[in-house]
Amino acid sequence: QYDTSDEATKIGEGAFSRVYRGTYRFAGTVPKPVALKEMKAVVGSSDLDWIAELQIGVQISHENLVNVFGHFTHGNTKCLVMELLAETLKDAICDPNRQLPWKLRLKWCSEVSTGMQFLHAQFPPILHQDLKSNNVLLTEPKAGAGPVAKIGDFGRSKALLSTVVHT
């Protein structure tokens, strides 16, 4: 289910994309809430950014990376179908009405670090190139563990294809 005319389903927007709440329906399965990332046609963005995010998203999987389930196009509109998460790290840390224990903050730092280590350990290594609090998303809290931090937005990511040898 996908309808960008309904502003009530829009949950975020950046320079190169809009994110909507949607539903993934696959024959014979229970409908699943997902995030639909619609790529904007703007100067400075390219099909290469979309392809990079799609390739990285569907080829790798880690508990601290946002899951990408697939993609679709409709006319000139390109969308990624992704895991729906509760909020961004920026929203959580900038909320003046919320007290975040240091233990939880350190847990999120560790989870982001673990996700980045996983990206850098790939062959070839994957460089995110746009890591910021808006691109770290949090799951719904889990019993006794709190929300899990996941790195998202791989549009500017690149695989390091060459190595540098120092002598």
Side-chain angles (χ1 to χ4, degrees):
Q1 187 174 38
Y2 176 65
D3 181 7
T4 58
S5 65
D6 182 4
E7 287 295 314
T9 63
K10 187 162 84 171
I11 55 177
E13 184 166 359
F16 301 104
S17 63
R18 290 179 200 90
V19 181
Y20 297 87
R21 182 180 316 272
T23 304
Y24 176 72
R25 294 187 180 147
F26 190 74
T29 65
V30 176
K32 178 179 185 168
V34 293
L36 301 168
K37 183 172 184 179
E38 175 189 60
M39 310 314 279
K40 293 180 184 177
V42 296
V43 175
S45 72
S46 71
D47 284 346
L48 294 178
D49 294 338
W50 183 75
I51 291 168
E53 185 162 11
L54 175 63
Q55 285 180 331
I56 290 169
V58 298
Q59 289 178 3
I60 61 174
S61 178
H62 187 271
E63 63 189 354
N64 299 117
L65 303 178
V66 175
N67 291 310
V68 176
F69 303 124
H71 74 285
F72 66 91
T73 58
H74 186 268
N76 291 331
T77 303
K78 298 177 183 80
C79 286
L80 297 176
V81 181
M82 307 169 74
E83 177 180 13
L84 181 63
L85 294 161
E87 63 183 333
T88 68
L89 178 60
K90 182 177 182 179
D91 291 339
I93 62 178
C94 291
D95 183 348
N97 300 316
R98 197 164 171 185
Q99 295 293 322
L100 297 173
W102 280 103
K103 186 176 181 178
L104 181 60
R105 294 174 193 217
L106 291 172
K107 174 183 169 299
W108 290 339
C109 288
S110 177
E111 290 167 347
V112 170
S113 177
T114 300
M116 292 301 291
Q117 179 190 18
F118 176 81
L119 291 173
H120 295 168
Q122 300 304 298
F123 186 79
I126 298 170
L127 306 179
H128 189 280
Q129 301 192 135
D130 195 23
L131 184 63
K132 57 188 178 185
S133 59
N134 273 333
N135 290 339
V136 175
L137 295 108
L138 303 172
T139 65
E140 290 290 340
K142 298 194 181 200
V148 173
K150 295 186 170 213
I151 301 165
D153 197 349
F154 294 95
R156 296 288 180 206
S157 298
K158 304 285 184 241
L160 187 62
L161 298 176
S162 62
T163 58
V164 177
V165 177
H166 297 281
T167 57

